[in-house]
C-alpha cells in the first residue's frame, strides 16, 4: 500500500510541476506589460521602466522562472505586484473561506447525491428515478449564477434565513459561519448532487444485475445487507465523481464568491487577473493544484481500500 501511495504522490508532483510551469509562461505571454495595468495609462515610460526593474521584469523570462521556481520550492511564492505583500500571506487569509464553502458543498453533494443515486438505482423506472433524471437535465441546463441569485432572493431576501452576502469566521461565531457559507455551498452543490446521483444510479443498476447479488438474495440476506454490498461495489464511481467535482467547485467558487461577496480565493483571483498580478495568480494556481492532488491521492487510497485490485496498477 505504501508503494501504491508513493506512485500516486509522485504523479501528483509531476502534475504540479507541469501545471505551474505552463501557467507561468502562459501568464507572461497573455500579460505582455503588467506595468501599464499597475501604474495606469498615464504613467511615463520612465516610471514603467523603473517598476519593471523593481519587479524583475527586465530580466530574461527563463531567469524570472528560475527565480520564481527556486522560491516556490522553499514555500516562498514571491510578493504581490499590487501591494508588495507576500503572496503566501494573502492566500493563507483567503484559503479558509474557499475551503469552507467547497468542503461544505462536497459534504452536501456526497450525502444527497449518494442517497438519491442509491434509491433511484434500486428502483429504476420509478417515479423517484424519473424525477432524479429530469432534475439532472434541468440543473445542468440552468446557469450556476442564476441558481445563486434565486437562492439569495428566496432564502436571504424573502425568508431571511441566511445572509445574502458576507462571511463570518468560525472563530467569531460557529452559527454565523455556518449560516454565511450555507447558500454559497448549496449553489455549488446542486450540480454536483445530480452528477453523483446519476453516476451512482447507473452503477447500482449494473451491480444489481450481477450473479453474486442474486446469490446473496437467494441465501436469505436482508435487503439492507444486500444493499450495503451493492453500494460498496458501486461506490468507486461516486468517489471518482466527488473528486472531479472538488476541482470543478474550486473553479466555480470564483462566480459564487463574487455573487455572495466572500473574501476567498475566487475573489482574489478575479481582482488579480484584472490588473495582471502574475505572482498572486501563480500562487493561487500552485495552491489549487496541491489541493486537487491531495484529493486525488485520498481518492486512490479509498479506491485501493475498497477494491485491492487497483493497488497493482
Amino acid at each position: 500500500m505504501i508503494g501504491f501511495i508513493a506512485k500516486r504522490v509522485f504523479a501528483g508532483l509531476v502534475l504540479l510541476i507541469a501545471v505551474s510551469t505552463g501557467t507561468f509562461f502562459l501568464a507572461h505571454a497573455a500579460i505582455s506589460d503588467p506595468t501599464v495595468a499597475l501604474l495606469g495609462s498615464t504613467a511615463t515610460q520612465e516610471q514603467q521602466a523603473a517598476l519593471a526593474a523593481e519587479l524583475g521584469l527586465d530580466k530574461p523570462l527563463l531567469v524570472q522562472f528560475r527565480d520564481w521556481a527556486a522560491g516556490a520550492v522553499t514555500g516562498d511564492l514571491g510578493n504581490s505586484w499590487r501591494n508588495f505583500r507576500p503572496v503566501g500571506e494573502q492566500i493563507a487569509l483567503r484559503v479558509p473561506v474557499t475551503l469552507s464553502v467547497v468542503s461544505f458543498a462536497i459534504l452536501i453533494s456526497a450525502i444527497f447525491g449518494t442517497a438519491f443515486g442509491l434509491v433511484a438505482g434500486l428502483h429504476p423506472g420509478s417515479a423517484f428515478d424519473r424525477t432524479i433524471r429530469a432534475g439532472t437535465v434541468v440543473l445542468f441546463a440552468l446557469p450556476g449564477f442564476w441558481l445563486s441569485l434565486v437562492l439569495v432572493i428566496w432564502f436571504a431576501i424573502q425568508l431571511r434565513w441566511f445572509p445574502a452576502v458576507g462571511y463570518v469566521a468560525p472563530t467569531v461565531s460557529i452559527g454565523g459561519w455556518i449560516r454565511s457559507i450555507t447558500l454559497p455551498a448549496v449553489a455549488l452543490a446542486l450540480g454536483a448532487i445530480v452528477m453523483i446521483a446519476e453516476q451512482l444510479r447507473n452503477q447500482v443498476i449494473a451491480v444489481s444485475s450481477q450473479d453474486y447479488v442474486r446469490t446473496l438474495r437467494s441465501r436469505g440476506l436482508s435487503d439492507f445487507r444486500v444493499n450495503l454490498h451493492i453500494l460498496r461495489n458501486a461506490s468507486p464511481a461516486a468517489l471518482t465523481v466527488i473528486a472531479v467535482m472538488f476541482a470543478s467547485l474550486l473553479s466555480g467558487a470564483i462566480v459564487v464568491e463574487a455573487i455572495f461577496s466572500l473574501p476567498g480565493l475566487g475573489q482574489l483571483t478575479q481582482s488579480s487577473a484584472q490588473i495582471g498580478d502574475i505572482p498572486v495568480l501563480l500562487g493561487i494556481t500552485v495552491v489549487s493544484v496541491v489541493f486537487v492532488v491531495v484529493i486525488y491521492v485520498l481518492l486512490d487510497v479509498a479506491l485501493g481500500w475498497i477494491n485491492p485490485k487497483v493497488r497493482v496498477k
Side-chain angles (χ1 to χ4, degrees):
M1 190 68 175
I2 296 178
F4 171 77
I5 297 175
K7 291 180 181 178
R8 296 302 189 268
V9 172
F10 177 76
L13 290 175
V14 172
L15 175 64
L16 176 61
I17 293 172
V19 172
S20 301
T21 302
T23 303
F24 181 91
F25 288 103
L26 287 175
H28 279 80
I31 307 174
S32 58
D33 189 4
T35 59
V36 176
L38 293 169
L39 293 176
S41 57
T42 58
T44 63
Q45 292 185 352
E46 290 76 13
Q47 290 174 326
Q48 294 179 11
L51 180 60
E54 183 178 358
L55 300 178
L57 297 176
D58 56 340
K59 300 177 182 178
L61 190 57
L62 289 178
V63 175
Q64 295 181 46
F65 175 72
R66 182 200 64 191
D67 294 341
W68 177 83
V73 169
T74 62
D76 181 9
L77 298 174
N79 296 324
S80 168
W81 290 350
R82 174 175 49 184
N83 52 30
F84 299 99
R85 291 172 53 196
V87 172
E89 175 185 304
Q90 297 184 62
I91 293 178
L93 294 174
R94 309 279 187 142
V95 163
V97 180
T98 299
L99 279 187
S100 296
V101 175
V102 172
S103 299
F104 197 19
I106 287 292
L107 179 62
I108 295 172
S109 305
I111 293 174
F112 289 95
T114 301
F116 293 163
L118 181 61
V119 174
L122 292 175
H123 304 90
S126 64
F128 184 82
D129 180 35
R130 293 194 297 270
T131 301
I132 291 298
R133 303 194 71 181
T136 300
V137 176
V138 172
L139 286 177
F140 271 117
L142 294 176
F145 71 88
W146 184 85
L147 290 174
S148 300
L149 293 175
V150 169
L151 291 174
V152 170
I153 294 173
W154 282 359
F155 296 101
I157 298 177
Q158 294 183 357
L159 298 177
R160 299 175 184 260
W161 289 355
F162 304 98
V165 295
Y167 174 78
V168 178
T171 54
V172 176
S173 171
I174 294 295
W177 171 64
I178 294 176
R179 292 180 69 247
S180 68
I181 66 174
T182 297
L183 287 185
V186 171
L188 284 175
L190 288 176
I193 289 174
V194 295
M195 188 75 171
I196 295 170
E198 180 69 17
Q199 292 296 323
L200 185 59
R201 170 196 177 273
N202 296 336
Q203 286 298 311
V204 168
I205 293 175
V207 172
S208 299
S209 64
Q210 298 295 317
D211 291 337
Y212 79 90
V213 175
R214 289 192 290 268
T215 301
L216 292 175
R217 295 189 188 279
S218 66
R219 291 181 177 179
L221 266 70
S222 64
D223 289 340
F224 177 76
R225 294 185 62 184
V226 173
N227 291 341
L228 284 181
H229 283 282
I230 293 174
L231 179 60
R232 178 169 182 175
N233 286 276
S235 59
L239 288 174
T240 302
V241 173
I242 290 173
V244 173
M245 285 293 100
F246 180 86
S248 177
L249 294 182
L250 277 178
S251 59
I254 296 178
V255 176
V256 170
E257 289 180 4
I259 293 175
F260 291 94
S261 297
L262 300 177
L265 290 178
Q267 190 182 82
L268 182 61
T269 301
Q270 185 180 36
S271 61
S272 299
Q274 290 175 347
I275 64 170
D277 196 343
I278 293 180
V280 174
L281 295 176
L282 288 173
I284 294 173
T285 300
V286 169
V287 171
S288 299
V289 172
V290 168
F291 285 145
V292 172
V293 168
V294 169
I295 290 297
Y296 274 94
V297 170
L298 293 177
L299 168 66
D300 287 334
V301 172
L303 293 179
W305 176 74
I306 295 173
N307 183 10
K309 292 181 181 180
V310 304
R311 302 178 195 172
V312 301
K313 295 181 180 180

